[in-house]
Amino acid sequence: MTINFESKKKYNVIGTNPIRHDGYDKVTGRAIYGADVKLPGLIWGEVLRSPYAHARIKSIDTSKAEKMDGVFAVITSKDIPINKNRSGIDVNLKRDVDNILAYEKVLYKGHPVAAVSAADRNTAKEACKLIEVKYEILEPVKNVDEAIAKNAPILLEDIEADHLGKTVNNTNIAKHFRHELGDANNEFKNSDYILEKEFNLQMVHQGYIEPHNATAHWDENDHLSLWSSTQGMFAVRDLTAGFLDLPISKVTSNYVEIGGGFGGKTKVYLPPVAAILSKKSGHKPVKIIMDRISVFQGSGPAPGGKIIVKIGVTNEGKINSGAVDIKLEAGAYPGSAIPAAAVCCLACYNIPNIRVDAYDVLVNKPKSAAYRAPGSPQVSFAVESVIDEICEKMTWDKIDFRIANASKEGTRKPDGVLYHKIGFIETLEAAKNSDHWNSKIDKKDKNKIYGRGIACGYWHNGGNRSTVDLILQDDGNIALNEGSADIGGTRTSISMQVAETLGMPVESIHPSIPDTDKIGFTATTGGSRTTYATGYAGWEAANKLIEEMKKRVSILWEEPEEEIDFADGNFYSKKSDLKMNIEELATKINPTGGPVTSTASVNLSAAGNGFGIGICDLEIDPHTGKTDVIRYTAVQDVGKAIYPQYAEGQIRGGAVQGIGWALNEEYYIEKDGTMANTSFLDYRMPTALDMPNIDVIMVEVANPLHPFGVRGVGEVPIVPPLAAVGNAIKDATGSRIYSTPMKPRKILEVIDNG
Amino acid sequence: MQPFAYSAPTTLEEAVEILDKHGEKARPLAGGTDLLVQIRGGRFDLDTVVDIKKIPELNEISNGNDELVLGAAVPCHKLYDDPSISKSYPGLIDAATLIGSIQIQSRSGFGGNLCNSTPSADGIAPLIVHSAVANIQGKSGSRSVPVEDFCTGPGSNVLGKGEMLVSITMPNKGDKFGAAYERFIPRNEMDIAVAAVGASIMLDSNGKIAEAKIALASVGPTPIFATKASESLKGKEPNEAAFKEAASIAKSECSPIEDMRGTADQRKHLVEVLTERMLIKSLERIGG
Ligand SMILES: Cc1cc2nc3c(=O)[nH]c(=O)nc-3n(C[C@H](O)[C@H](O)[C@H](O)COP(=O)(O)OP(=O)(O)OC[C@H]3O[C@@H](n4cnc5c(N)ncnc54)[C@H](O)[C@@H]3O)c2cc1C
């Protein structure tokens, strides 16, 4: 069911910037992160990883490691409970379990092969060196071209791939599917101008500062307790239980603070390994922390790939056809961001004829994971570059052309889904009226060249399941429990929605995130869903609380419930002039039936589609290719900014990550298929000195599916920068770069050739 | 990482004694910003780490009229905190202010940078263009080696068993002298040179170039003293044509490889661009 909400203009709490509830703990360093977890008798685990990109494991001899002083246990994939009966495992679970400890084959450098528990971390590391693994080295598959080449080495020998409904074996294309709208093939004949271009992208990493970690205690009573840095403690519980063949009720996943995730902490790597080590070490709690090299090599980056875009326009300035061919690197196992990529690619525009061919391609690199709007930055880089080139060729205004073709309510996305109310046109108009778009580039240095680029981006955002519990305390405050990992200030954004509904100050709401036994299932924080969906549950729980409080007021006033009104934190009698606020009611509540609590769980199918625009000014040293972004404005439809400072923070952060992706970040893969640049020194993420202040313009076109109009905010902003930077480089140098990263060497090349 | 002993001798003799006794299994620790990372990364298997910061000679920093003596454990910040050093040794200051970050510069110095002997070291090319000499102490005595002859390959140098660097000496070339150092990195900090160039120029009384030095980093197995390019400037007017010619010669004096940080062609090109820029900057700094 879809309820349509009218957006209210005036709020008391929503739209303000209070001190966030977790602020004090975080700035004083007292907040407990995964690495801070200490338990009595804690021992350490370490993971031995493959040095090869592609190899068959001939044998693993753990005897020397087992005999080492201080070592408790050594495990391999044979020790994982569900591997006891391989033929019975669901194929998806099998891929996931093989990713946490390799079974028969290693598929990327950094793929876990064995693990050790020992009295201290150093002993565990040294013991790993004593594990003898014999490999038969296989030829690595380094990119999508190699993966689909004739006679390519096959990563998964048991694959049964779905290619447009046909089952195919012996392939590295794990899936091929197609979206079609209208008739893209024929309509290109009616296009007055057609442009087709190919784009290549390298794999990139989210680069969160806190490495993956896990502490596990599998006790004598067969109960497993977990603590790990994750965007979804329920996902940790469910997957770990799955691997260990335990009922979920035997697994408790605790919330700890998270030092960045950006999608990369939606996967489960260490908790099951730590759990098995714990049991095998005589039920001692075991802790594992990845080092940075392992994070780069062994966690889930965002896919690179190859994208071919063909767009046809009429002389009247309308896009009439679009065809996109997307091949994304899934990494070692199926499941890249290809489903989203196939929708996001043309989602900004109202195009009658669309064909999208999408391929999920296996390569000998770590299994990819989500990264802010997964799949969308890659395809938008390609599409928005082509749009830019068409506008230049046809001398059309880059914003007016987009407004004329913009998706709006009733437009169909490539997968056929209709948009409800969206704010893309309003966002384009805000960009058009912005100070940035209307002022000249600040050309400070006559020895440099300058350029400006603009590009758009889309993300559908997520709904899914969320739970919020509320308790009215005797002092009139509200205790709030919610199940979403807080990666961007969501404790506060949820509390603000509850406070607004209850007519209370947000300081009276005290949020906590309990473990998985103490709150209803809540889906992983991702897809920009938390302020939207968990916020929705909070609003619903607050309304239920109000209903329950009305009952109690009716008992106290001896008036029928229907005669009691609630507004702005106060109960009113419709008949008399009786009035009471929540705080006062709390002191009188016990005789009316004991404490007042409420709970609400939602399962939202759709969310608020989000659109953003990036305007980027660059300065380039034409002799070295050194490129600096000197001004950047992000314009985005946020629906409603519950907490404007944090919404802006999300938008700035996304823009910075997108700019880093555009300019210098990449997995630099050696000839043997291994990643060379496994440190922050050589994985060139932008530093504070590389970024200008990012200006943010928030547009608020309320999402009709949410009581306060919220759309997701956190992911859209990473989408526009790749093409915005690329288009600015084109503006500055006269030449376009069709691959990422657009690093100095490539810029020099286009300057020399252009 | 295996457990290792930590010793902090207070005299040179004692330090050399320990280093000699343990050979490959001991290493000096100055700021530790390279060493600790390397031990953790498994590059060395040590049984002793010799902290040299308690030895007086290694902390010495004396800026006389004729020369600057820099103890091997003096951290970068001590250089740029001292205005008289900044004036006479500008190439050194360029490096001291760009190595790592404030934190790194507060711990680490040119001694460690030189002994670490990486091709990309930001400290070595500036030392070469300032005509620096490395003063070495071993069990059997001391010797001095010009910095351009110090490194012998990536991570290796002339130090023999039991030998350590005590100090680095540089002549004060007066106010007809200017020097500069710059590296090319894609970002603005916390990066490793794709290519880097140090240069210095000394003018004679007629305003001609009496001596010029050009040194290159990250474009060969060691930092490179570009002797031909340096020589080409001798006796010339310091002008664009001379600088361009020297830059083009410098380009032919390097032998870069392709790796994750850059390609060979890109690095050669950068050497040419940066050489000309550093010569211009050196000239601008004379009397400045
Ligand atoms: C975050 C970070 C950023 C960095 N950025 C840069 C940069 O921008 N540019 C750059 O060039 N470097 C950089 N480095 C590397 C390092 O900081 C420098 O090389 C620094 O100058 C080393 O000095 P140190 O005193 O810390 O050396 P140490 O680590 O103490 O020693 C370095 C090596 O020299 C040996 N050694 C030290 N002193 C002596 C001696 N007296 N005699 C014989 N052997 C000796 C040690 O055993 C060791 O092998 C960076 C390092 C880090 C961690």
Side-chain angles (χ1 to χ4, degrees):
Chain A
M1 189 187 64
T2 314
I3 317 167
N4 273 271
F5 297 92
E6 277 301 315
S7 82
K8 194 178 140 187
K9 290 282 169 301
K10 188 93 190 72
Y11 293 114
N12 294 319
V13 179
I14 284 169
T16 65
N17 296 300
I19 292 175
R20 61 195 272 178
H21 298 85
D22 50 331
Y24 290 106
D25 278 354
K26 283 185 177 157
V27 298
T28 56
R30 280 188 208 105
I32 302 293
Y33 289 82
D36 300 321
V37 172
K38 291 195 179 73
L39 298 173
L42 185 76
I43 61 171
W44 284 82
E46 186 62 47
V47 174
L48 176 72
R49 292 170 185 275
S50 166
Y52 305 114
H54 195 187
R56 207 175 298 285
I57 301 171
K58 306 294 274 182
S59 65
I60 306 178
D61 183 352
T62 58
S63 56
K64 285 196 188 122
E66 277 160 22
K67 283 188 205 112
M68 187 175 158
D69 256 8
V71 169
F72 289 94
V74 185
I75 62 163
T76 66
S77 59
K78 300 215 162 55
D79 295 283
I80 302 175
I82 54 161
N83 278 342
K84 303 258 144 72
N85 174 18
R86 287 282 292 183
S87 58
I89 314 175
D90 162 77
V91 65
N92 293 325
L93 198 62
K94 185 160 83 176
R95 303 300 184 209
D96 283 341
V97 80
D98 290 353
N99 194 33
I100 64 155
L101 272 174
Y103 191 86
E104 290 174 355
K105 260 182 110 176
V106 288
L107 296 174
Y108 52 94
K109 183 181 183 184
H111 198 160
V113 173
V116 174
S117 62
D120 59 73
R121 198 176 181 184
N122 197 43
T123 305
K125 279 189 185 216
E126 288 298 315
C128 280
K129 294 184 194 160
L130 298 180
I131 299 171
E132 290 168 2
V133 188
K134 290 214 174 72
Y135 295 100
E136 175 197 337
I137 300 170
L138 305 170
E139 192 190 325
V141 172
K142 300 193 287 293
N143 50 50
V144 296
D145 287 331
E146 290 183 11
I148 62 176
K150 251 205 166 122
N151 301 323
I154 298 297
L155 272 78
L156 301 177
E157 282 133 3
D158 61 348
I159 195 162
E160 294 183 351
D162 175 350
H163 291 186
L164 299 177
K166 275 208 215 78
T167 301
V168 177
N169 304 106
N170 206 30
T171 176
N172 289 322
I173 298 172
K175 194 173 173 68
H176 171 204
F177 64 93
R178 183 176 291 161
H179 292 315
E180 282 177 310
L181 278 184
D183 182 353
N185 282 324
N186 270 328
E187 278 300 316
F188 274 109
K189 291 196 189 116
N190 299 331
S191 301
D192 296 310
Y193 178 68
I194 302 167
L195 185 67
E196 181 175 331
K197 291 286 174 189
E198 178 186 305
F199 297 81
N200 287 283
L201 296 97
Q202 295 299 330
M203 190 168 248
V204 297
H205 198 272
Q206 302 85 353
Y208 34 81
I209 296 299
E210 181 205 28
H212 293 270
N213 55 65
T215 304
H217 185 207
W218 195 337
D219 69 20
E220 290 81 350
N221 197 24
D222 215 21
H223 191 92
L224 174 61
S225 299
L226 301 169
W227 293 258
S228 72
S229 177
T230 175
Q231 293 174 229
M233 55 193 179
F234 285 92
V236 168
R237 179 195 68 180
D238 293 357
L239 266 177
T240 305
F243 296 159
L244 305 184
D245 223 355
L246 284 172
I248 53 169
S249 310
K250 287 250 176 212
V251 182
T252 304
S253 177
N254 293 276
Y255 179 70
V256 285
E257 298 299 346
I258 173 170
F262 313 108
K265 288 193 181 140
T266 55
K267 294 267 179 273
V268 176
Y269 306 105
L270 298 174
V273 176
I276 299 166
L277 285 170
S278 170
K279 185 169 184 175
K280 243 198 145 181
S281 306
H283 304 284
K284 291 186 171 51
V286 174
K287 179 167 174 171
I288 309 179
I289 301 180
M290 278 192 202
D291 59 14
R292 182 60 55 187
I293 296 177
S294 305
V295 172
F296 275 119
Q297 290 180 342
S299 69
K306 183 187 281 300
I307 297 154
I308 300 166
V309 175
K310 184 177 173 188
I311 286 180
V313 292
T314 62
N315 284 332
E316 291 70 47
K318 285 280 187 188
I319 308 177
N320 69 350
S321 294
V324 187
D325 182 290
I326 312 165
K327 296 189 176 72
L328 288 188
E329 297 173 325
Y333 297 101
S336 69
I338 194 80
V343 177
C344 292
C345 58
L346 297 172
C348 286
Y349 304 109
N350 186 358
I351 309 175
N353 304 292
I354 288 178
R355 194 186 62 248
V356 178
D357 272 293
Y359 303 82
D360 190 36
V361 184
L362 300 170
V363 292
N364 288 114
K365 294 181 185 175
K367 163 76 173 73
S368 64
Y371 181 16
R372 271 188 138 130
S376 191
Q378 292 94 325
V379 289
S380 303
F381 170 57
V383 169
E384 291 295 303
S385 298
V386 167
I387 297 279
D388 195 70
E389 217 165 305
I390 290 174
C391 288
E392 283 185 352
K393 169 81 191 172
M394 308 299 277
T395 62
W396 289 332
D397 180 90
K398 290 174 184 177
I399 294 185
D400 288 342
F401 172 75
R402 286 177 164 100
I403 291 176
N405 288 284
S407 291
K408 48 181 182 276
E409 190 167 359
T411 302
R412 279 191 195 282
K413 293 194 259 180
D415 58 351
V417 175
L418 278 175
Y419 282 118
H420 54 73
K421 190 167 175 50
I422 54 173
F424 187 35
I425 290 175
E426 289 83 345
T427 309
L428 282 160
E429 271 158 4
K432 189 176 175 178
N433 296 328
S434 68
D435 178 56
H436 190 165
W437 191 248
N438 292 294
S439 46
K440 289 213 156 69
I441 304 176
D442 183 14
K443 299 183 179 176
K444 275 195 283 286
D445 184 345
K446 64 177 185 347
N447 297 314
K448 303 276 173 64
I449 56 175
Y450 293 83
R452 173 172 293 170
I454 186 167
C456 304
Y458 163 80
W459 183 244
H460 43 68
N461 300 316
N464 213 327
R465 285 174 286 171
S466 279
T467 305
V468 170
D469 296 348
L470 300 176
I471 305 163
L472 174 63
Q473 308 280 33
D474 287 355
D475 65 0
N477 282 266
I478 303 287
L480 180 158
N481 282 328
E482 51 102 348
S484 290
D486 184 352
I487 63 175
T490 49
R491 260 181 284 230
T492 303
S493 70
I494 296 159
S495 298
M496 289 170 80
Q497 295 178 61
V498 170
E500 187 70 52
T501 313
L502 294 175
M504 297 172 88
V506 72
E507 292 75 18
S508 302
I509 316 290
H510 302 271
S512 340
I513 306 170
D515 66 53
T516 49
D517 296 336
K518 300 181 182 65
I519 184 86
F521 182 94
T522 300
T524 297
T525 294
S528 304
R529 63 174 296 278
T530 303
T531 297
Y532 170 71
T534 314
Y536 195 116
W539 169 78
E540 215 171 281
N543 279 311
K544 286 185 179 173
L545 200 72
I546 292 166
E547 287 315 304
E548 182 59 28
M549 287 189 289
K550 275 188 186 166
K551 284 190 189 138
R552 307 305 180 88
V553 174
S554 108
I555 294 169
L556 289 171
W557 288 349
E558 297 180 353
E559 286 186 7
E561 239 177 280
E562 311 79 63
E563 297 298 328
I564 294 160
D565 262 347
F566 177 81
D568 292 334
N570 291 297
F571 296 93
Y572 301 89
S573 164
K574 288 182 193 164
K575 297 198 299 197
S576 59
D577 54 3
L578 283 168
K579 181 186 164 190
M580 193 189 312
N581 65 23
I582 292 179
E583 211 166 296
E584 199 184 335
L585 172 65
T587 62
K588 299 179 177 157
I589 212 146
N590 280 325
T592 66
V596 174
T597 64
S598 72
T599 183
S601 292
V602 297
N603 189 0
L604 305 177
S605 54
N609 299 285
F611 294 84
I613 295 162
I615 309 171
C616 174
D617 291 358
L618 289 178
E619 175 186 274
I620 299 176
D621 180 335
H623 302 289
T624 64
K626 172 82 167 29
T627 304
D628 282 285
V629 173
I630 54 170
R631 186 172 184 188
Y632 189 97
T633 302
V635 192
Q636 189 176 321
D637 174 19
V638 298
K640 178 72 201 169
I642 299 293
Y643 192 142
Q645 272 182 7
Y646 280 98
E648 282 182 20
Q650 286 291 321
I651 294 170
R652 290 202 175 91
V656 168
Q657 287 187 312
I659 292 168
W661 190 338
L663 286 176
N664 286 303
E665 291 181 39
E666 66 177 317
Y667 269 49
Y668 185 93
I669 303 295
E670 301 279 17
K671 289 200 176 60
D672 64 359
T674 63
M675 179 190 185
N677 53 335
T678 55
S679 70
F680 279 140
L681 181 60
D682 287 311
Y683 182 83
R684 288 159 166 160
M685 277 170 66
T687 71
L689 290 188
D690 298 311
M691 282 297 139
N693 183 38
I694 308 273
D695 292 319
V696 177
I697 300 171
M698 292 195 286
V699 177
E700 293 186 331
V701 176
N703 172 14
L705 304 179
H706 188 274
F708 302 111
V710 168
R711 297 177 194 271
V713 168
E715 293 173 282
V716 176
I718 200 176
V719 183
L722 280 71
V725 167
N727 295 342
I729 290 172
K730 165 66 176 46
D731 189 39
T733 66
S735 305
R736 186 175 295 281
I737 299 175
Y738 294 94
S739 63
T740 62
M742 293 171 269
K743 53 189 178 182
R745 176 180 62 75
K746 291 187 194 165
I747 290 173
L748 271 184
E749 279 168 13
V750 298
I751 290 174
D752 287 349
N753 301 334
Chain B
M1 183 167 72
Q2 297 289 353
F4 54 80
Y6 167 84
S7 66
T10 52
T11 66
L12 261 182
E13 294 68 41
E14 224 185 315
V16 167
E17 184 70 45
I18 303 171
L19 288 171
D20 188 64
K21 188 173 142 216
H22 293 266
E24 301 266 272
K25 289 271 184 187
R27 284 208 72 85
L29 170 93
T33 60
D34 278 316
L35 188 65
L36 296 189
V37 180
Q38 290 160 352
I39 294 175
R40 213 175 57 158
R43 172 147 156 220
F44 298 119
D45 185 10
L46 303 180
D47 57 28
T48 306
V49 165
V50 187
D51 188 345
I52 54 176
K53 288 191 291 297
K54 298 210 161 55
I55 306 168
E57 292 91 325
L58 274 79
N59 291 315
E60 184 190 340
I61 172 163
S62 80
N63 187 18
N65 282 337
D66 301 333
E67 61 176 22
L68 170 68
V69 182
L70 198 59
V74 173
C76 290
H77 78 95
K78 292 238 161 115
L79 296 175
Y80 55 75
D81 286 350
D82 182 337
S84 67
I85 297 178
S86 300
K87 185 170 171 297
S88 305
Y89 304 93
L92 225 49
I93 301 304
D94 284 344
T97 49
L98 68 73
I99 290 178
S101 56
I102 303 265
Q103 292 94 321
I104 298 293
Q105 291 155 20
S106 305
R107 296 270 319 160
S108 73
F110 285 81
N113 197 269
L114 178 58
C115 294
N116 200 49
S117 302
T118 58
S120 61
D122 285 312
I124 304 179
L127 288 172
I128 295 173
V129 300
H130 276 286
S131 308
V133 168
N135 306 308
I136 299 166
Q137 178 75 47
K139 226 186 151 184
S140 48
S142 59
R143 59 183 178 126
S144 291
V145 175
V147 167
E148 56 266 32
D149 299 331
F150 188 86
C151 301
T152 53
S156 64
N157 54 44
V158 297
L159 293 176
K161 182 171 180 254
E163 277 191 324
M164 63 183 279
L165 180 74
V166 179
S167 63
I168 303 164
T169 314
M170 273 153 283
N172 183 340
K173 300 215 171 165
D175 42 3
K176 289 275 177 216
F177 175 85
Y181 174 78
E182 199 175 291
R183 64 180 181 187
F184 176 77
I185 53 174
R187 295 180 289 182
N188 290 307
E189 62 169 340
M190 280 302 188
D191 214 330
I192 199 158
V194 177
V197 175
S200 68
I201 294 177
M202 195 163 69
L203 296 180
D204 62 20
S205 50
N206 301 320
K208 292 216 165 98
I209 299 173
E211 183 191 58
K213 291 197 168 187
I214 296 164
L216 321 172
S218 258
V219 287
T222 64
I224 294 168
F225 180 24
T227 50
K228 289 190 197 121
S230 305
E231 282 299 317
S232 79
L233 288 160
K234 207 167 186 170
K236 290 212 177 120
E237 294 283 347
N239 57 28
E240 194 185 322
F243 290 173
K244 277 206 174 352
E245 192 195 335
S248 149
I249 300 172
K251 183 178 173 182
S252 68
E253 284 187 86
C254 61
S255 53
I257 53 161
E258 168 161 359
D259 66 9
M260 60 188 168
R261 294 172 189 142
T263 62
D265 284 348
Q266 178 192 14
R267 287 176 152 137
K268 285 194 162 183
H269 170 81
L270 288 168
V271 163
E272 186 168 12
V273 172
L274 292 178
T275 301
E276 189 185 346
R277 287 184 184 177
M278 291 307 96
L279 287 168
I280 293 169
K281 203 166 183 181
S282 299
L283 184 67
E284 281 168 2
R285 279 175 171 174
I286 294 179

